[in-house]
């Protein structure tokens, strides 16, 4: 079992699925959950390569920006969604994990798309390292970093499935 993968109970059980249950053809959307920003990435239709898509901004104390997410869903027509699960260094779930699970279950409920969770530990630091290795800077470009972290998450997921 992939870290962060667990079935859920209740009515969302049909929509929150194991990674192997996501369709293998068609675009996947990755959601890199954050308290202020949510990075999005999308795969190609063959699920070989991931690329950055967008960053959604969350306002403190406000609901998940579902309307903005739907605009992207209507544009790319994904067959499934991978939500990053921010686990602690010891691979245990945290308060942030719970918030990400809640967001993923909300996405599943509102979109009727299958959603799975995937361990996202180190995606942001890997994205930052890649930018720095190429001589780039991240100051003032946090939204780009969130998209890149979502891309790392999705590419890792795609590579793991192959």
């Amino acid at each position: 079992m992939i870290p962060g993968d667990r079935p859920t109970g209740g009515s969302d059980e049909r929509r929150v699925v194991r990674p192997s249950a996501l369709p293998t053809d068609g675009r996947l959307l990755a959601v890199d959950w954050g308290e202020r920003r949510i990075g999005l990435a999308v795969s190609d239709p063959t699920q070989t390569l991931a690329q950055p898509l967008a960053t959604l901004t969350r306002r403190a104390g406000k609901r998940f920006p579902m309307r903005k997410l739907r605009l992207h869903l209507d544009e790319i027509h994904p067959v499934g969604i991978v939500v990053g699960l921010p686990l602690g260094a010891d691979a245990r779930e945290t308060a942030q994990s719970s918030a990400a699970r809640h967001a993923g279950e909300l996405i599943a409920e509102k979109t009727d798309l299958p959603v799975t969770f995937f361990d996202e530990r180190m995606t942001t630091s890997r994205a930052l390292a890649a930018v720095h290795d190429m001589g780039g800077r991240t100051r003032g470009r946090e939204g780009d970093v969130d998209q890149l972290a979502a891309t790392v998450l999705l590419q890792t997921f795609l590579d793991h499935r192959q």
Side-chain angles (χ1 to χ4, degrees):
M1 179 161 37
I2 296 171
D5 177 31
R6 80 169 188 207
T8 62
S11 63
D12 286 332
E13 191 167 336
R14 291 178 304 250
R15 292 183 295 258
V16 177
V17 299
R18 296 192 181 287
S20 59
L22 284 181
T24 55
D25 283 328
R27 294 182 187 277
L28 293 177
L29 177 77
V31 177
D32 182 57
W33 174 259
E35 290 185 24
R36 285 185 233 141
R37 289 175 309 277
I38 301 165
L40 302 178
V42 63
S43 75
D44 67 318
T46 65
Q47 297 184 10
T48 305
L49 295 173
Q51 65 184 22
L53 180 64
T55 301
L56 304 179
T57 302
R58 293 188 61 226
R59 292 183 10 215
K62 299 294 180 182
R63 288 185 273 170
F64 182 87
M66 187 60 68
R67 188 173 294 147
K68 291 179 182 178
L69 178 64
R70 279 195 184 279
L71 294 174
H72 295 289
L73 296 175
D74 291 345
E75 180 182 325
I76 63 171
H77 304 287
V79 296
I81 299 176
V82 178
V83 176
L85 192 62
L87 301 174
D90 59 359
R92 292 186 186 191
E93 294 208 13
T94 65
Q96 291 174 326
S97 305
S98 178
R101 281 197 184 279
H102 178 72
E105 290 166 2
L106 177 69
I107 292 168
E109 177 186 325
K110 298 291 184 183
T111 66
D112 260 347
L113 289 168
V115 171
T116 196
F117 297 97
F118 193 74
D119 183 354
E120 73 161 20
R121 282 179 293 171
M122 307 302 288
T123 56
T124 300
S125 59
R126 286 171 47 198
L128 289 169
V131 170
H132 291 289
D133 286 348
M134 293 184 290
R137 297 184 184 212
T138 57
R139 187 175 211 181
R141 301 183 64 197
E142 290 83 4
D144 292 341
V145 172
D146 292 316
Q147 289 177 44
L148 190 52
T151 305
V152 170
L153 167 72
L154 184 54
Q155 191 63 57
T156 303
F157 176 83
L158 295 173
D159 293 346
H160 187 275
R161 282 197 12 177
Q162 291 189 15

